[in-house]
Structure formats: structure tokens, C-alpha cells
């Protein structure tokens, strides 16, 4: 493989993780609004997973240009409680939703992995362009990554909501390629040639969205398995490139120079 000239990283599971469980956060929000809440947070979390998939299918890319991210999440949160068997009146549901939406825009539920910023800073010190390419709404770019201190290590962030396409689509990776080269042009005042797709390494924790999507776009790709999952074991047995953390990703990149 060519030595990469840019490194692209997924967000959740690669650069950052959730603190706490979604089901617990949703249940606590209902209780704070004086509503009866599902006693089983695990069941509520499973309902959330189903609601997220349903809402994503009906309104791709967090609503794209047709719907605000906040309205998209309003539908998803209400659906999660409904699937768990809880149907609140409109005013009560709005109270619950506003608590959930506010919490997920705050420090309370996100944590950067300790190797994330050092990895991004190392990459930039080696002259590599850095990008976060994520299936998320615009709050990741506007607030989540900055408040975790990760934005300072990134040349650009590409969110599916803003682009209107999601990984593994070729369109999302093409938009990311364009933003990476624009960032490089601005940073170097046009003194560096455009980076080719084959010179970008994408790192993420999803076989379909990250690895297959990136390779399909002509990028280099590597999977990250931070939690020693069954999927990670399967990927390794298949001979796919897998790292346990971004320290290993750095060593992998250094080996190409």
C-alpha cells in the first residue's frame, strides 16, 4: 500500500465512546419529568435500537434537508418509549425529549478515548491530513468533537446529515475526499498537490460502513476493535487489517513510510 497522505477516522467506537447506557439515560429523563418509566433499562435500550433503525430507514441521514436533526430525534425518542410500552401525553413527551436531547449534546454522555487526540496530533505532525467521517448529525461537528478537544486535531469533519449520504455510500466518501483536499489546500495555501483516494487510510469499527465503504471508494482501510468483540475475532480470521487501538494504527502507518 502507498504511504497514506491523509487519515480518516470514524467517530463513535473509534475516537469516542458513550458514558453510561442509553436505556438508563432515557429512563432517568422520564423520571426527572415525573413520568412512569420502564423498570428495565435494558429493554428500553433494545427498544431504542429498534426505534433508531426504523427512523433511519424512514428518514435517512437524520432527515437530510427535509427535516431538522432535532425533529428526527424527537420522532426516534418517542418511538423508543412507545416500543417499550410507554405512551406519554404530548407535553410530557416533549419534556422527556428535551432532557434526552440536551444530555446528548453535553459532556455528560461522551468520552474521548485517551489515544484519540495524541494519534491525530501525531498524524498532523507527520504532515498527514486528518478527517472524521461519521454517520451522525451536525452536532458531532458543531459541539461534540470540539467539547472533547478532538476538533483541534482534525482538518475537517464530514457528517452524513450535512452531506445527505451515509457510509458506506460512494457519495459520502467522495464528499469527504473533496473536503479533505479543500482543507489541505487551505492549510498549505495550495503548495501541496491534491491527495488521491488511494492515499487516504480510513479507520473505523464497522465492516460494512467503514471498511467495505472505504475500500469501495478506492481508499485504504483498517478496522478497529477496541473491545475485543466477536466481530473483531472474525475479521482477524478473515485476514482483514485490524488494530486494537490507535497506538496500533499509528504503528501500522509508520510501517508504510
Amino acid at each position: 500500500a502507498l504511504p497514506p497522505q491523509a487519515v480518516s477516522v470514524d467517530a463513535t467506537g473509534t475516537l469516542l465512546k458513550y458514558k453510561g447506557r442509553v436505556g438508563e439515560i432515557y429512563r432517568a429523563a422520564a423520571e426527572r419529568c415525573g413520568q412512569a418509566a420502564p423498570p428495565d433499562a435494558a429493554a428500553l435500550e433494545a427498544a431504542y435500537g429498534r426505534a433508531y433503525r426504523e427512523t433511519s430507514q424512514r428518514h435517512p441521514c437524520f432527515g437530510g434537508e427535509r427535516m431538522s436533526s432535532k425533529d428526527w430525534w424527537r420522532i426516534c425518542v418517542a418511538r423508543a418509549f412507545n416500543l417499550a410500552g410507554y405512551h406519554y401525553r404530548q407535553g410530557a413527551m416533549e419534556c422527556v425529549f428535551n432532557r434526552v436531547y440536551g444530555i446528548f449534546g453535553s459532556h455528560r454522555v461522551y468520552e474521548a478515548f485517551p489515544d484519540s487526540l495524541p494519534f491525530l496530533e501525531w498524524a498532523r505532525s507527520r504532515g498527514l491530513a486528518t478527517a472524521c467521517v461519521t454517520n451522525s448529525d451536525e452536532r458531532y461537528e458543531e459541539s461534540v468533537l470540539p467539547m472533547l478537544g478532538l476538533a483541534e486535531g482534525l482538518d475537517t469533519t464530514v457528517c452524513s446529515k450535512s452531506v445527505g449520504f451515509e457510509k458506506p455510500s460512494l457519495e459520502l466518501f467522495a464528499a469527504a475526499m473533496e473536503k479533505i483536499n479543500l482543507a489541505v489546500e487551505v492549510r498549505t495555501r495550495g503548495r501541496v498537490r491534491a491527495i488521491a483516494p488511494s492515499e487516504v487510510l480510513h479507520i473505523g469499527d464497522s465492516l460494512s460502513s467503514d471498511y467495505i465503504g472505504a475500500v469501495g471508494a478506492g481508499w485504504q482501510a483498517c478496522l478497529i476493535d477496541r473491545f475485543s468483540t466477536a466481530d473483531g475475532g472474525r475479521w482477524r480470521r478473515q485476514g482483514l487489517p485490524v488494530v486494537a487501538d490507535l497506538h496500533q494504527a499509528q504503528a501500522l502507518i509508520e510501517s508504510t513510510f
Side-chain angles (χ1 to χ4, degrees):
L2 293 169
Q5 300 301 309
V7 61
S8 161
V9 283
D10 171 48
T12 308
T14 302
L15 286 181
L16 59 94
K17 64 179 178 179
Y18 290 130
K19 290 191 287 189
R21 306 289 303 186
V22 172
E24 293 284 1
I25 294 165
Y26 276 44
R27 184 174 68 176
E31 290 173 344
R32 287 295 296 273
C33 288
Q35 302 303 307
D40 184 358
L44 182 51
E45 187 149 344
Y48 160 76
R50 191 172 147 202
Y52 184 93
R53 290 189 295 274
E54 282 185 12
T55 312
S56 295
Q57 287 171 352
R58 290 176 182 167
H59 309 286
C61 301
F62 300 91
E65 295 181 351
R66 300 173 306 283
M67 178 187 298
S68 72
S69 298
K70 189 168 186 178
D71 284 342
W72 190 96
W73 281 109
R74 185 178 278 110
I75 293 167
C76 183
V77 172
R79 182 63 176 152
F81 280 101
N82 292 347
L83 287 170
Y86 286 75
H87 300 262
Y88 303 132
R89 291 190 305 275
Q90 186 175 353
M93 187 64 246
E94 189 65 8
C95 175
V96 174
F97 165 71
N98 282 328
R99 288 202 68 82
V100 168
Y101 191 76
I103 289 168
F104 278 91
S106 74
H107 263 297
R108 291 175 58 186
V109 292
Y110 301 103
E111 182 178 2
F113 291 107
D115 58 2
S116 294
L117 186 57
F119 171 76
L120 295 173
E121 290 178 333
W122 167 82
R124 293 182 82 180
S125 76
R126 292 300 301 262
L128 305 183
T130 56
C132 178
V133 179
T134 170
N135 285 348
S136 66
D137 66 42
E138 68 277 11
R139 288 193 299 171
Y140 266 54
E141 180 175 9
E142 294 172 0
S143 60
V144 175
L145 293 170
M147 75 185 175
L148 294 175
L150 295 172
E152 63 195 65
L154 292 163
D155 289 309
T156 190
T157 300
V158 184
C159 299
S160 57
K161 166 70 173 176
S162 304
V163 174
F165 293 96
E166 297 177 334
K167 295 181 294 184
S169 74
L170 291 175
E171 291 88 349
L172 188 282
F173 283 97
M177 193 73 251
E178 194 171 313
K179 286 195 75 173
I180 288 168
N181 272 317
L182 180 60
V184 168
E185 184 178 349
V186 169
R187 181 151 60 87
T188 66
R189 298 180 182 177
R191 291 193 300 270
V192 175
R193 65 169 176 80
I195 296 169
S198 60
E199 296 175 309
V200 184
L201 172 67
H202 180 70
I203 304 165
D205 66 341
S206 166
L207 177 64
S208 58
S209 294
D210 293 305
Y211 186 84
I212 293 174
V215 170
W219 295 22
Q220 300 176 44
C222 176
L223 289 156
I224 189 167
D225 178 33
R226 287 188 179 275
F227 305 108
S228 301
T229 63
D231 282 342
R234 216 165 18 250
W235 301 335
R236 288 181 176 89
R237 289 192 296 275
Q238 292 170 1
L240 298 175
V242 183
V243 294
D245 53 36
L246 291 174
H247 294 300
Q248 290 188 7
Q250 179 177 328
L252 178 69
I253 294 168
E254 286 180 322
S255 72
T256 69
F257 288 120

